[in-house]
Amino acid sequence: MQNWKSALGNARQGESKYKRLVQAITADIDQGTLSDGQRLPPQRQVSDALGISVQTVTNAYKELERQGRVRCEVGRGSFVSRRTSERVATSMLDHDEQALMDFSNARILHTAEHDRLWRQTCMELAQEAEQPWIHAFRPIAGLEHQREAAVRWLARLGMAVSIEDVLLTNGAAHAIFLALATLAGPDDVVLCEGLTDHGAIGSSQVLGFTLKGLEMDHYGLNPEHFEDMCANEKITALVCTPNLNNPTSALMPDERRREIAEIARRYGVYLIEDDVYGPLLTGQQATRPLSHYAPELSFYCTSMTKSVLTGLRIGYLVMPKRLALRTESILRVNSWMAASLMGEVAARWIDSGEAEELVQLQRQLLANRQALVEQELSEHLIGAHPYSLNSWLRVPDGWEIDGLLRELRRRNVALTLPDPFVPPGMPRPRAVRLCVGAECSEAKMRQGVQIVRDVFGQYPKVHDF
C-alpha cells in the first residue's frame, strides 16, 4: 500500500482523497502490481494504514467496482477484476486453435447450405447494373426497401411497427449500444439480469452509467426485485434478454413479461430488449416480445447473426417514437449508417423466404446438439433449451472454476467462465457455459462433451499449476 500512501500524500489541497486512492489502485492494476483475481486488503485495514476514514475507502472501492476494475463479493471481500473487454478475450477464444474443440463462443452452426446461398446471392448482386447498396451514403436509417423488409421480419417476431420506427444497425450489439447511448450517462442507473450479455457490462464502462444486476430464477429476472429497485432508486432503464438469456438459456413466460412492462410503465423506466435469439423460437414457444407490452418505453433489438448467418451482421432497432430523432442522430455520429450490402442481402433473403429456411435448419441442428449435451451431462445441466446456442452447467463440488477450465484446456476443450456475464456487485455463480455451435462434426462434438463429462466426474489435483 506504499504507492497508495504516496498518492494520497501528493494530493493537492481540496482534491478528493477517494479519487486519488482510485487512481493509485488503478495504476497498480494496470502495471500488474495487483493481479487479476487478487484480493484487495479489507477496508478497515486500508483505513488504518493510510490514515483516512473507512467511508473514503468504501467510496473508492465502489467506484472501482463501477468501472469494472474490482469485483466485490458479499462475505468474501473485493477482488481485482480485469475489464470485461479484456476478460472476454480470454474467456471466449477470438481465434481458432488447431486440435481444440472450442465450445466457448456462442454461434450458430455453419453448413454447406449457408455457403451455397451466400455465393449465389453474391453472384446475383454482382451482375446487377444498378447497385445502390454500394453507392449509398444516405439515408442514415437505412435504404427504404431494406427497412420495409425489416418491418416484415419484425412482424414475424411479434413486433407490428412502421418503417419510421426502425433503424438498420450493424448487428444487435450495435443496436443495444445505440439504445443505451440514447438514454444513459454518468448520472444514470441501468438495471440488467444478474447474468447478462457482456456487451451491456462493457457499455456501462464506455458510457459511464452505473449498471446493477437483478436476481434471477429459472424464468429470468425477478419482477419483485425489479419493482423494489424502481421504488427505492431513480432507474433510467432495464436491459434484458427475455428469449434464451445468455448464458442461462432462460425463457421468460408471457405473464412475467406483462408484469415487468407494467412495472416499467408505473415508474417510467425504459426497456431495452435484446431479442437476438427470438427468431429461433417458434410455435407455442414463441411469446410476444416484452416491448409489445410497453412500446412507448421500449427499444427492441434483434439481428440475423444468431439465427440466419453468423457473418450477416445486420440488426434492426425499433425505437420509441419520441426518441427516434435522438437515436438516429447518435447512429450518425457513431457509424453514420449500417453496412448497406449486409442490409441488402438480409432484405433479399427475407423476401425470398430463404432467411426463414435457414432459421428452420438451425433449429434442427441446435436441437440435435442440445439433445447430445443432455444425454451426456444431464446431472450437471441447470440451463438449456432445444433452440439455445449454449448450455449452462453447474460446476461439481470440489472443483474450483478456473482450475476446471484449465484442466479442460489441457484436454483441448474450451468452455466459458461465468465472469464476462456477471454485473458489478453480483455473486460469481459456480457454473460454466458450453456453446453447442462449435464448427466440428457430430462425432467430434460428442467426443468433446464426453471429455467434459469425464473431467466433471473426477476429483481435481491437489496442486494445479
Side-chain angles (χ1 to χ4, degrees):
M1 281 188 279
Q2 186 57 44
N3 292 343
W4 306 358
K5 192 167 187 177
S6 299
L8 290 173
N10 294 330
R12 297 185 298 272
Q13 185 175 3
E15 188 175 9
S16 170
K17 290 184 178 179
Y18 99 86
K19 288 184 178 179
R20 290 290 293 184
L21 182 55
V22 167
Q23 293 169 3
I25 297 175
T26 298
D28 279 355
I29 294 173
D30 290 341
Q31 294 166 12
T33 305
L34 292 172
S35 59
D36 183 40
Q38 183 174 341
R39 188 173 186 270
L40 294 180
Q43 295 179 25
R44 171 63 68 182
Q45 180 181 335
V46 176
S47 168
D48 293 342
L50 302 183
I52 57 178
S53 70
V54 173
Q55 187 60 52
T56 297
V57 182
T58 299
N59 291 341
Y61 278 29
K62 284 184 176 179
E63 176 61 19
L64 288 163
E65 182 181 28
R66 189 192 69 78
Q67 294 178 10
R69 311 309 298 265
V70 165
R71 182 180 73 252
C72 297
E73 299 183 12
V74 177
R76 294 192 64 222
S78 301
F79 301 84
V80 175
S81 177
R82 285 173 294 168
R83 289 181 180 272
T84 295
S85 56
E86 297 168 352
R87 294 200 306 271
V88 167
T90 56
S91 298
M92 306 172 207
L93 304 183
D94 59 3
H95 61 278
D96 292 331
E97 294 184 18
Q98 288 189 346
L100 181 74
M101 286 172 277
D102 182 10
F103 302 144
S104 72
N105 279 296
R107 57 191 174 195
I108 60 175
L109 282 83
H110 193 83
T111 70
E113 179 61 17
H114 290 89
D115 290 336
R116 183 198 67 78
L117 184 56
W118 174 254
R119 291 191 181 99
Q120 174 185 310
T121 304
C122 287
M123 289 177 63
E124 292 172 355
L125 292 172
Q127 291 169 5
E128 296 188 16
E130 296 295 326
Q131 300 192 9
W133 49 87
I134 291 298
H135 304 291
F137 189 59
R138 292 186 178 86
I140 303 301
L143 298 178
E144 184 170 341
H145 73 279
Q146 295 177 2
R147 293 168 77 194
E148 289 172 346
V151 168
R152 290 190 286 276
W153 185 255
L154 290 163
R156 169 193 177 283
L157 300 177
M159 290 292 293
V161 299
S162 62
I163 189 173
E164 294 80 14
D165 302 325
V166 180
L167 294 181
L168 267 64
T169 65
N170 294 309
H174 186 209
I176 294 167
F177 182 84
L178 291 174
L180 287 166
T182 300
L183 297 172
D187 296 328
D188 294 289
V189 176
V190 175
L191 302 179
C192 65
E193 291 126 323
L195 289 166
T196 190
D197 186 83
H198 56 85
I201 303 174
S203 293
S204 70
Q205 296 165 2
V206 173
L207 297 172
F209 60 83
T210 298
L211 186 69
K212 296 186 177 182
L214 295 172
E215 297 169 358
M216 297 178 67
D217 60 21
H218 182 69
Y219 298 107
L221 69 90
N222 184 328
E224 293 182 2
H225 192 197
F226 177 40
E227 181 157 25
D228 182 63
M229 293 290 288
C230 291
N232 290 283
E233 294 190 48
K234 175 58 179 173
I235 304 300
T236 298
L238 166 69
V239 55
C240 66
T241 309
N243 285 330
L244 306 180
N245 164 272
N246 181 20
T248 69
S249 297
L251 179 60
M252 186 182 293
D254 186 72
E255 181 180 355
R256 184 171 296 194
R257 298 179 193 223
R258 293 173 184 267
E259 185 177 359
I260 289 170
E262 179 55 36
I263 295 169
R265 185 176 281 120
R266 189 155 60 244
Y267 291 96
V269 174
Y270 284 98
L271 299 171
I272 301 173
E273 181 174 9
D274 178 0
D275 199 28
V276 68
Y277 305 108
L280 293 170
L281 299 176
T282 184
Q284 294 181 347
Q285 292 179 325
T287 60
R288 286 191 179 276
L290 173 62
S291 301
H292 169 80
Y293 297 112
E296 76 282 7
L297 292 172
S298 296
F299 289 82
Y300 176 84
C301 313
T302 190
S303 81
M304 297 283 186
T305 58
K306 303 296 187 182
S307 57
V308 178
L309 180 65
T310 302
L312 190 57
R313 296 206 61 82
I314 197 70
Y316 304 129
L317 171 60
V318 180
M319 311 156 288
K321 292 184 183 297
R322 63 188 297 266
L323 291 172
L325 291 178
R326 174 174 172 80
T327 307
E328 184 175 334
S329 68
I330 293 173
L331 171 61
R332 180 185 292 109
V333 171
N334 178 261
S335 65
W336 190 260
M337 64 187 297
S340 291
L341 177 59
M342 295 293 101
E344 185 63 23
V345 174
R348 294 190 179 211
W349 288 2
I350 290 169
D351 291 341
S352 68
E354 287 163 321
E356 176 60 31
E357 291 175 6
L358 290 177
V359 171
Q360 295 280 4
L361 172 61
Q362 198 60 220
R363 290 187 189 121
Q364 179 183 346
L365 296 171
L366 290 170
N368 290 342
R369 292 213 169 173
Q370 286 287 0
L372 188 159
V373 172
E374 183 174 11
Q375 181 182 4
E376 300 289 348
L377 292 166
S378 59
E379 65 179 296
H380 306 291
L381 205 56
I382 53 176
H385 185 279
Y387 301 147
S388 177
L389 273 62
N390 48 268
S391 300
W392 192 229
L393 304 172
R394 181 184 293 107
V395 173
D397 293 340
W399 274 106
E400 182 264 334
I401 298 174
D402 300 84
L404 174 66
L405 264 62
R406 282 195 296 271
E407 180 59 31
L408 286 167
R409 285 297 298 275
R410 292 189 189 105
R411 303 182 188 217
N412 291 321
V413 173
L415 303 186
T416 315
L417 289 165
D419 303 53
F421 312 108
V422 182
M426 297 300 289
R428 187 194 200 202
R430 285 187 51 79
V432 292
R433 189 186 70 171
L434 185 154
C435 299
V436 301
E439 293 194 24
C440 62
S441 66
E442 291 296 307
K444 194 74 172 175
M445 174 78 183
R446 183 175 295 277
Q447 179 188 354
V449 172
Q450 288 175 341
I451 290 173
V452 175
R453 181 200 62 195
D454 292 345
V455 172
F456 273 37
Q458 294 182 15
Y459 284 98
K461 300 175 182 177
V462 175
H463 296 290
D464 180 27
F465 297 105

PDB file of all heavy atoms in Angstrom, residues 121-133 344 348:
ATOM      1  N   THR A 121     -26.156 -15.517 -53.879  1.00  0.00           N
ATOM      2  CA  THR A 121     -26.607 -14.134 -53.708  1.00  0.00           C
ATOM      3  C   THR A 121     -25.540 -13.151 -54.158  1.00  0.00           C
ATOM      4  O   THR A 121     -25.844 -12.140 -54.804  1.00  0.00           O
ATOM      5  CB  THR A 121     -26.994 -13.878 -52.240  1.00  0.00           C
ATOM      6  OG1 THR A 121     -27.977 -14.829 -51.845  1.00  0.00           O
ATOM      7  CG2 THR A 121     -27.545 -12.472 -52.060  1.00  0.00           C
ATOM      8  N   CYS A 122     -24.275 -13.419 -53.831  1.00  0.00           N
ATOM      9  CA  CYS A 122     -23.184 -12.534 -54.257  1.00  0.00           C
ATOM     10  C   CYS A 122     -23.097 -12.476 -55.782  1.00  0.00           C
ATOM     11  O   CYS A 122     -22.861 -11.405 -56.359  1.00  0.00           O
ATOM     12  CB  CYS A 122     -21.859 -13.014 -53.665  1.00  0.00           C
ATOM     13  SG  CYS A 122     -21.681 -12.716 -51.894  1.00  0.00           S
ATOM     14  N   MET A 123     -23.278 -13.602 -56.447  1.00  0.00           N
ATOM     15  CA  MET A 123     -23.249 -13.623 -57.915  1.00  0.00           C
ATOM     16  C   MET A 123     -24.391 -12.803 -58.492  1.00  0.00           C
ATOM     17  O   MET A 123     -24.211 -12.031 -59.447  1.00  0.00           O
ATOM     18  CB  MET A 123     -23.322 -15.073 -58.412  1.00  0.00           C
ATOM     19  CG  MET A 123     -22.052 -15.882 -58.151  1.00  0.00           C
ATOM     20  SD  MET A 123     -22.213 -17.608 -58.681  1.00  0.00           S
ATOM     21  CE  MET A 123     -22.465 -17.391 -60.438  1.00  0.00           C
ATOM     22  N   GLU A 124     -25.573 -12.923 -57.919  1.00  0.00           N
ATOM     23  CA  GLU A 124     -26.731 -12.157 -58.394  1.00  0.00           C
ATOM     24  C   GLU A 124     -26.511 -10.656 -58.201  1.00  0.00           C
ATOM     25  O   GLU A 124     -26.802  -9.854 -59.105  1.00  0.00           O
ATOM     26  CB  GLU A 124     -27.987 -12.606 -57.648  1.00  0.00           C
ATOM     27  CG  GLU A 124     -28.429 -14.028 -57.978  1.00  0.00           C
ATOM     28  CD  GLU A 124     -29.553 -14.496 -57.077  1.00  0.00           C
ATOM     29  OE1 GLU A 124     -29.916 -13.748 -56.143  1.00  0.00           O
ATOM     30  OE2 GLU A 124     -30.065 -15.621 -57.295  1.00  0.00           O
ATOM     31  N   LEU A 125     -25.987 -10.280 -57.060  1.00  0.00           N
ATOM     32  CA  LEU A 125     -25.731  -8.858 -56.792  1.00  0.00           C
ATOM     33  C   LEU A 125     -24.683  -8.309 -57.756  1.00  0.00           C
ATOM     34  O   LEU A 125     -24.805  -7.182 -58.260  1.00  0.00           O
ATOM     35  CB  LEU A 125     -25.262  -8.672 -55.350  1.00  0.00           C
ATOM     36  CG  LEU A 125     -26.298  -8.936 -54.251  1.00  0.00           C
ATOM     37  CD1 LEU A 125     -25.631  -8.909 -52.882  1.00  0.00           C
ATOM     38  CD2 LEU A 125     -27.423  -7.918 -54.306  1.00  0.00           C
ATOM     39  N   ALA A 126     -23.643  -9.082 -58.027  1.00  0.00           N
ATOM     40  CA  ALA A 126     -22.550  -8.615 -58.882  1.00  0.00           C
ATOM     41  C   ALA A 126     -23.004  -8.381 -60.318  1.00  0.00           C
ATOM     42  O   ALA A 126     -22.427  -7.547 -61.034  1.00  0.00           O
ATOM     43  CB  ALA A 126     -21.409  -9.624 -58.858  1.00  0.00           C
ATOM     44  N   GLN A 127     -24.043  -9.067 -60.761  1.00  0.00           N
ATOM     45  CA  GLN A 127     -24.486  -8.978 -62.151  1.00  0.00           C
ATOM     46  C   GLN A 127     -25.502  -7.863 -62.387  1.00  0.00           C
ATOM     47  O   GLN A 127     -25.862  -7.601 -63.539  1.00  0.00           O
ATOM     48  CB  GLN A 127     -25.086 -10.324 -62.570  1.00  0.00           C
ATOM     49  CG  GLN A 127     -24.039 -11.440 -62.665  1.00  0.00           C
ATOM     50  CD  GLN A 127     -24.640 -12.818 -62.808  1.00  0.00           C
ATOM     51  OE1 GLN A 127     -25.864 -12.955 -62.925  1.00  0.00           O
ATOM     52  NE2 GLN A 127     -23.799 -13.841 -62.797  1.00  0.00           N
ATOM     53  N   GLU A 128     -25.952  -7.208 -61.331  1.00  0.00           N
ATOM     54  CA  GLU A 128     -26.959  -6.157 -61.495  1.00  0.00           C
ATOM     55  C   GLU A 128     -26.303  -4.833 -61.858  1.00  0.00           C
ATOM     56  O   GLU A 128     -25.279  -4.448 -61.286  1.00  0.00           O
ATOM     57  CB  GLU A 128     -27.789  -6.028 -60.224  1.00  0.00           C
ATOM     58  CG  GLU A 128     -28.586  -7.294 -59.932  1.00  0.00           C
ATOM     59  CD  GLU A 128     -29.552  -7.115 -58.781  1.00  0.00           C
ATOM     60  OE1 GLU A 128     -29.837  -5.966 -58.393  1.00  0.00           O
ATOM     61  OE2 GLU A 128     -30.040  -8.147 -58.262  1.00  0.00           O
ATOM     62  N   ALA A 129     -26.929  -4.130 -62.809  1.00  0.00           N
ATOM     63  CA  ALA A 129     -26.371  -2.860 -63.282  1.00  0.00           C
ATOM     64  C   ALA A 129     -26.465  -1.774 -62.209  1.00  0.00           C
ATOM     65  O   ALA A 129     -25.521  -1.013 -61.980  1.00  0.00           O
ATOM     66  CB  ALA A 129     -27.085  -2.421 -64.553  1.00  0.00           C
ATOM     67  N   GLU A 130     -27.617  -1.679 -61.557  1.00  0.00           N
ATOM     68  CA  GLU A 130     -27.826  -0.687 -60.500  1.00  0.00           C
ATOM     69  C   GLU A 130     -27.516  -1.327 -59.147  1.00  0.00           C
ATOM     70  O   GLU A 130     -28.093  -2.356 -58.798  1.00  0.00           O
ATOM     71  CB  GLU A 130     -29.266  -0.180 -60.530  1.00  0.00           C
ATOM     72  CG  GLU A 130     -29.635   0.569 -61.802  1.00  0.00           C
ATOM     73  CD  GLU A 130     -28.847   1.861 -61.952  1.00  0.00           C
ATOM     74  OE1 GLU A 130     -28.541   2.494 -60.915  1.00  0.00           O
ATOM     75  OE2 GLU A 130     -28.531   2.228 -63.091  1.00  0.00           O
ATOM     76  N   GLN A 131     -26.596  -0.706 -58.408  1.00  0.00           N
ATOM     77  CA  GLN A 131     -26.186  -1.257 -57.119  1.00  0.00           C
ATOM     78  C   GLN A 131     -26.173  -0.161 -56.043  1.00  0.00           C
ATOM     79  O   GLN A 131     -25.124   0.260 -55.555  1.00  0.00           O
ATOM     80  CB  GLN A 131     -24.806  -1.908 -57.231  1.00  0.00           C
ATOM     81  CG  GLN A 131     -24.755  -3.049 -58.244  1.00  0.00           C
ATOM     82  CD  GLN A 131     -23.483  -3.865 -58.141  1.00  0.00           C
ATOM     83  OE1 GLN A 131     -22.696  -3.715 -57.224  1.00  0.00           O
ATOM     84  NE2 GLN A 131     -23.283  -4.757 -59.096  1.00  0.00           N
ATOM     85  N   PRO A 132     -27.355   0.311 -55.654  1.00  0.00           N
ATOM     86  CA  PRO A 132     -27.420   1.410 -54.669  1.00  0.00           C
ATOM     87  C   PRO A 132     -26.818   1.050 -53.324  1.00  0.00           C
ATOM     88  O   PRO A 132     -26.389   1.934 -52.571  1.00  0.00           O
ATOM     89  CB  PRO A 132     -28.924   1.689 -54.554  1.00  0.00           C
ATOM     90  CG  PRO A 132     -29.581   0.428 -55.012  1.00  0.00           C
ATOM     91  CD  PRO A 132     -28.694  -0.122 -56.079  1.00  0.00           C
ATOM     92  N   TRP A 133     -26.792  -0.231 -52.980  1.00  0.00           N
ATOM     93  CA  TRP A 133     -26.241  -0.645 -51.684  1.00  0.00           C
ATOM     94  C   TRP A 133     -24.734  -0.437 -51.590  1.00  0.00           C
ATOM     95  O   TRP A 133     -24.173  -0.446 -50.507  1.00  0.00           O
ATOM     96  CB  TRP A 133     -26.574  -2.114 -51.418  1.00  0.00           C
ATOM     97  CG  TRP A 133     -26.244  -3.021 -52.570  1.00  0.00           C
ATOM     98  CD1 TRP A 133     -25.054  -3.634 -52.824  1.00  0.00           C
ATOM     99  CD2 TRP A 133     -27.104  -3.380 -53.636  1.00  0.00           C
ATOM    100  NE1 TRP A 133     -25.119  -4.360 -53.970  1.00  0.00           N
ATOM    101  CE2 TRP A 133     -26.376  -4.232 -54.498  1.00  0.00           C
ATOM    102  CE3 TRP A 133     -28.434  -3.082 -53.967  1.00  0.00           C
ATOM    103  CZ2 TRP A 133     -26.924  -4.772 -55.662  1.00  0.00           C
ATOM    104  CZ3 TRP A 133     -28.974  -3.637 -55.115  1.00  0.00           C
ATOM    105  CH2 TRP A 133     -28.235  -4.461 -55.952  1.00  0.00           C
ATOM    106  N   GLU A 344     -28.833  -5.342 -47.729  1.00  0.00           N
ATOM    107  CA  GLU A 344     -29.416  -5.815 -48.984  1.00  0.00           C
ATOM    108  C   GLU A 344     -29.550  -7.335 -48.997  1.00  0.00           C
ATOM    109  O   GLU A 344     -30.580  -7.888 -49.409  1.00  0.00           O
ATOM    110  CB  GLU A 344     -28.563  -5.361 -50.165  1.00  0.00           C
ATOM    111  CG  GLU A 344     -29.143  -5.703 -51.532  1.00  0.00           C
ATOM    112  CD  GLU A 344     -30.463  -5.026 -51.817  1.00  0.00           C
ATOM    113  OE1 GLU A 344     -30.747  -3.982 -51.187  1.00  0.00           O
ATOM    114  OE2 GLU A 344     -31.216  -5.531 -52.677  1.00  0.00           O
ATOM    115  N   ARG A 348     -33.185  -9.380 -49.174  1.00  0.00           N
ATOM    116  CA  ARG A 348     -33.499 -10.356 -50.227  1.00  0.00           C
ATOM    117  C   ARG A 348     -33.839 -11.719 -49.639  1.00  0.00           C
ATOM    118  O   ARG A 348     -34.755 -12.403 -50.130  1.00  0.00           O
ATOM    119  CB  ARG A 348     -32.325 -10.450 -51.203  1.00  0.00           C
ATOM    120  CG  ARG A 348     -32.131  -9.151 -51.976  1.00  0.00           C
ATOM    121  CD  ARG A 348     -31.151  -9.295 -53.104  1.00  0.00           C
ATOM    122  NE  ARG A 348     -31.027  -8.020 -53.828  1.00  0.00           N
ATOM    123  CZ  ARG A 348     -30.761  -7.917 -55.123  1.00  0.00           C
ATOM    124  NH1 ARG A 348     -30.557  -9.010 -55.858  1.00  0.00           N
ATOM    125  NH2 ARG A 348     -30.678  -6.737 -55.702  1.00  0.00           N
TER     126      ARG A 348
END
